[in-house]
Amino acid sequence: MISKEEIKKLADLARIEISDEEVESLRGEMDAILEYVGQISRIPSPEQGEGDTIVRGEVNVLREDTNPTESGTYSKELIANFPNKEKNYLKVKKILG
Amino acid sequence: MEIKNLTIKEARKLLDTKQISAKELAKSCLENIEKRNKELNVFLEVYDDVLEQAEEAQKIIDSGNSKELTGIPLAIKDNILIKGKKASASSKILQNYTATYDATVIEKLKEEGVIFLGRVNMDEFAMGGSTENSAFEVTKNPYDTSRVAGGSSGGSAAAVVAEMALGALGSDTGGSVREPASFCGVVGLKPTYGSVSRFGLMAMGSSLDVIGPITKTVSDAEIIFNVIKGKDKMDSTSTEIENCKLKIENFKIGVPYHILEQEGISKDVRDNFNESINKLKDLGFEIKDIKLKNIDKSLAVYYIIMPAEVSSNMARYDGVKYGLRKEGNDLLEVYKKTRGEGFGAEVRRRIILGTYVLSSGYYDSYYGKAMAARKIIRAEFDSAFEQVDAVLTPTAPFPAWKIGEKKSPLENYLADIFTVTANIVGCPAISLPSGFVKIDGKDLPLGIQLMSSHSNENILFEIGKKFLNE
């Protein structure tokens, strides 16, 4: 069974605070799910190589790095969504010691 | 004005011949919302400018320039952005988020003069099959209010069957358009991956997600699909679809009978499925028994790939630039508190599961293996579509379940057993209403699913129209 420590480690990596009760219930739920999805090990592995794409005709689509949006075009709407601000600045916790 | 059973196609005629005004049509939807929304919990918000939108649409109609969807009132799933309107994905983390731009599908609908009634309920970030994972309570099934409407686009399906809207947009990552359509007795289309732009749709599983219509008829689904499809420079995975199989006569429909032998499929669904096969035979379609060797592994493949993509897509909700922020002693604590409290249990579970299958020690045995299996299933479908024009299965293994009935996450996931394959393969699929089963004195709708090869939605429309006698 997946350990408590392992669940806590995963939650930490995912930056999610979870309670001890949730750690416990996730152990059972994750085990059941992992056991179910584990059946894919019964599919034989194909040879790797050509045509490893999922979406038909999948290619990288790039664009020229030109014509940037004019500064300020969307500022008003974006600033309005800030959870915390001072004037037009986004306010966050101090990062550097 | 009574809009019972009114389709988009019929409404178009009534609007263009001035037998009804856009305002009257919108008002009748608003009245039905007023009457039943409290009980069913379909709309999270009804926009306050619906009648103004109707007036604008009427001007277009009066000028003689109406398009297919001018003046048609639609409901929009809460994960599709409309500039200046709230879009929460039924999550506390985005409860107060206002969209800063229009999704491409919304832009296209605005060009048509569609009336946006409001945003409808869903499972949080589209993760679930019943809307029980909504942060804003479950949507009830209009056929039996003790049961779920399906999900994740449960609000979209319920809005259509409860006559609150003439059609709706949903999104489908593993069945989220088709399963609620089946539970509510309406039509749900999951288009070919990439045929509809995902720009402005909140990402869940980016290699699986697609926006699709929920409507009363196949013809209506086709109308909406034709408006929203197309290549978009804002979504590099979008493509122009080209029907490669036009005008085929004597459609052959393949049935993978072997997948019906697995456990967990209700007798009602099996019986209804067999009746539907007979109906299709009577309509002149040839039914062929086909084998899809690894289709029964689709659900396992899906529940590895999807959480993996979820875990990376959900990383953007960090409480910094938008959405909920919970303060803490340092930045790390802000992240953890915000995400711990802002996300619901199912979203947290899928992120953690995705983190697990992508972690270095397990990557090869889960994600790597799932991607290889995805390729195999895809190849099996390619060869199936050389023998048949469409593949038929039930949409869901059982009818709508009672609210709260399914206890474990895995039990919920099993509802997706027939639908996830189309997302893994990327092919189009449609759910068609196929009758009812009486349970506890209530009629509950059932549905069948048809899949066709990439870009061949037209085959689904053609078979679907015959099946529903349109």
Side-chain angles (χ1 to χ4, degrees):
Chain A
M1 198 179 190
I2 192 163
S3 70
K4 268 188 198 176
E5 288 64 37
E6 225 173 335
I7 298 278
K8 280 185 183 161
K9 175 88 193 302
L10 290 167
D12 270 348
L13 287 170
R15 303 283 188 261
I16 296 176
E17 187 178 85
I18 53 172
S19 67
D20 290 343
E21 288 142 38
E22 191 168 352
V23 170
E24 206 46 61
S25 62
L26 273 171
R27 287 181 70 198
E29 290 160 358
M30 292 263 293
D31 264 351
I33 296 165
L34 291 172
E35 195 198 316
Y36 181 84
V37 301
Q39 64 175 287
I40 58 152
S41 64
R42 296 204 298 270
I43 301 182
S45 280
E47 284 174 32
Q48 294 297 313
E50 43 164 345
D52 265 348
T53 59
I54 295 303
V55 180
R56 184 162 292 181
E58 184 184 76
V59 282
N60 283 325
V61 179
L62 304 171
R63 65 164 178 83
E64 290 301 313
D65 191 14
T66 53
N67 302 323
T69 308
E70 204 179 312
S71 176
T73 313
Y74 300 107
S75 305
K76 209 178 123 212
E77 290 89 350
L78 296 175
I79 291 168
N81 270 314
F82 285 173
N84 196 355
K85 65 182 168 192
E86 203 172 302
K87 290 178 187 163
N88 277 343
Y89 292 96
L90 175 66
K91 215 171 160 179
V92 289
K93 280 273 158 217
K94 191 164 138 188
I95 298 165
L96 300 172
Chain B
M1 171 70 202
E2 180 60 58
I3 57 164
K4 199 157 170 47
N5 300 324
L6 182 68
T7 66
I8 292 174
K9 210 172 159 186
E10 290 158 358
R12 172 86 276 122
K13 274 189 212 140
L14 294 178
L15 287 165
D16 287 346
T17 54
K18 309 286 165 69
Q19 294 179 66
I20 183 179
S21 72
K23 213 170 181 171
E24 283 171 311
L25 188 56
K27 268 188 181 163
S28 58
C29 288
L30 292 175
E31 276 162 24
N32 287 339
I33 296 169
E34 180 68 28
K35 258 186 248 164
R36 295 198 75 186
N37 200 50
K38 219 173 199 160
E39 179 197 10
L40 299 173
N41 193 37
V42 173
F43 279 81
L44 295 175
E45 179 185 356
V46 178
Y47 299 139
D48 54 13
D49 62 350
V50 170
L51 296 180
E52 283 92 330
Q53 292 181 55
E55 276 167 25
E56 288 305 311
Q58 192 61 47
K59 281 183 202 159
I60 303 172
I61 295 167
D62 290 342
S63 71
N65 293 319
S66 68
K67 298 180 185 169
E68 291 273 24
L69 292 173
T70 312
I72 302 294
L74 298 182
I76 306 296
K77 190 175 181 178
D78 194 30
N79 60 352
I80 299 174
L81 306 190
I82 304 179
K83 188 174 178 173
K85 307 282 191 199
K86 278 188 178 165
S88 79
S90 286
S91 178
K92 276 196 291 185
I93 214 162
L94 290 180
Q95 190 163 6
N96 294 312
Y97 173 72
T98 302
T100 55
Y101 62 96
D102 277 330
T104 299
V105 291
I106 296 300
E107 211 169 85
K108 285 172 182 273
L109 293 175
K110 279 185 175 173
E111 279 165 25
E112 290 272 313
V114 156
I115 298 168
F116 300 101
L117 292 163
R119 54 193 178 97
V120 286
N121 198 20
M122 56 188 279
D123 286 293
E124 183 178 3
F125 286 109
M127 298 180 204
S130 64
T131 73
E132 288 170 294
N133 297 329
S134 167
F136 310 114
E137 295 182 15
V138 66
T139 295
K140 292 168 183 164
N141 194 309
Y143 280 97
D144 177 352
T145 52
S146 70
R147 292 177 187 269
V148 300
S152 67
S153 312
S156 305
V160 174
V161 72
E163 310 279 3
M164 295 170 166
L166 288 197
L169 287 189
S171 65
D172 193 311
T173 306
S176 280
V177 159
R178 290 160 286 159
E179 187 247 52
S182 155
F183 284 5
C184 289
V186 288
V187 173
L189 173 71
K190 173 235 173 283
T192 304
Y193 177 78
S195 64
V196 179
S197 170
R198 289 181 291 117
F199 182 66
L201 167 70
M202 292 182 199
M204 176 186 162
S206 301
S207 76
L208 307 155
D209 295 341
V210 63
I211 295 171
I214 294 181
T215 52
K216 287 174 194 158
T217 63
V218 174
S219 308
D220 284 1
E222 185 178 13
I223 291 169
I224 296 182
F225 173 63
N226 283 332
V227 168
I228 61 175
K229 70 178 182 185
K231 191 172 168 59
D232 176 18
K233 72 172 171 41
M234 303 306 279
D235 174 2
S236 66
T237 59
S238 66
T239 49
E240 213 60 66
I241 70 158
E242 289 161 36
N243 301 141
C244 40
K245 289 184 178 177
L246 287 168
K247 284 190 191 151
I248 292 181
E249 277 161 30
N250 309 322
F251 277 124
K252 261 191 228 146
I253 300 175
V255 180
Y257 284 99
H258 61 96
I259 63 166
L260 293 164
E261 285 156 19
Q262 55 195 325
E263 279 173 50
I265 303 164
S266 89
K267 188 179 176 298
D268 297 321
V269 167
R270 282 171 209 268
D271 292 348
N272 177 271
F273 186 63
N274 288 328
E275 281 165 31
S276 303
I277 290 174
N278 288 333
K279 188 174 168 188
L280 286 163
K281 278 184 191 162
D282 291 343
L283 288 166
F285 296 108
E286 188 185 332
I287 304 289
K288 198 172 176 309
D289 185 1
I290 57 163
K291 296 272 178 291
L292 292 157
K293 205 169 146 237
N294 287 299
I295 192 177
D296 60 334
K297 318 280 193 318
S298 295
L299 194 69
V301 170
Y302 177 78
Y303 275 95
I304 293 170
I305 292 173
M306 177 274 295
E309 295 185 12
V310 159
S311 73
S312 58
N313 273 326
M314 293 297 124
R316 75 194 64 183
Y317 304 107
D318 57 6
V320 175
K321 292 187 200 132
Y322 57 89
L324 179 82
R325 179 191 294 179
K326 290 280 171 189
E327 292 299 345
N329 293 323
D330 53 26
L331 190 62
L332 184 63
E333 207 179 296
V334 172
Y335 290 152
K336 291 173 76 171
K337 277 195 177 341
T338 299
R339 292 162 62 78
E341 291 177 37
F343 289 137
E346 180 62 17
V347 177
R348 295 199 295 269
R349 189 179 298 119
R350 291 194 192 189
I351 293 172
I352 289 170
L353 185 63
T355 307
Y356 180 87
V357 299
L358 289 176
S359 57
S360 61
Y362 301 103
Y363 183 92
D364 287 338
S365 43
Y366 290 103
Y367 190 74
K369 194 84 192 170
M371 289 306 274
R374 186 174 187 182
K375 210 174 124 190
I376 292 174
I377 294 169
R378 165 91 196 227
E380 285 176 6
F381 264 74
D382 279 347
S383 49
F385 286 129
E386 282 168 17
Q387 305 166 49
V388 294
D389 302 294
V391 172
L392 179 73
T393 70
T395 305
F398 29 70
W401 59 84
K402 289 236 181 215
I403 293 165
E405 180 186 328
K406 295 208 181 293
K407 303 290 180 211
S408 77
L410 191 58
E411 256 182 284
N412 277 283
Y413 299 170
L414 291 171
D416 307 337
I417 195 132
F418 297 120
T419 46
V420 293
T421 317
N423 301 78
I424 285 172
V425 172
C427 70
I430 197 166
S431 177
L432 305 169
S434 59
F436 296 87
V437 53
K438 210 173 209 65
I439 298 178
D440 305 335
K442 300 262 171 71
D443 282 323
L444 298 181
L446 295 170
I448 55 165
Q449 171 184 239
L450 280 165
M451 293 176 265
S452 66
S453 50
H454 287 67
S455 292
N456 285 310
E457 278 82 356
N458 59 325
I459 294 176
L460 305 179
F461 297 146
E462 214 155 304
I463 301 173
K465 283 179 204 169
K466 287 210 174 115
F467 185 76
L468 295 181
N469 199 20
E470 287 177 30

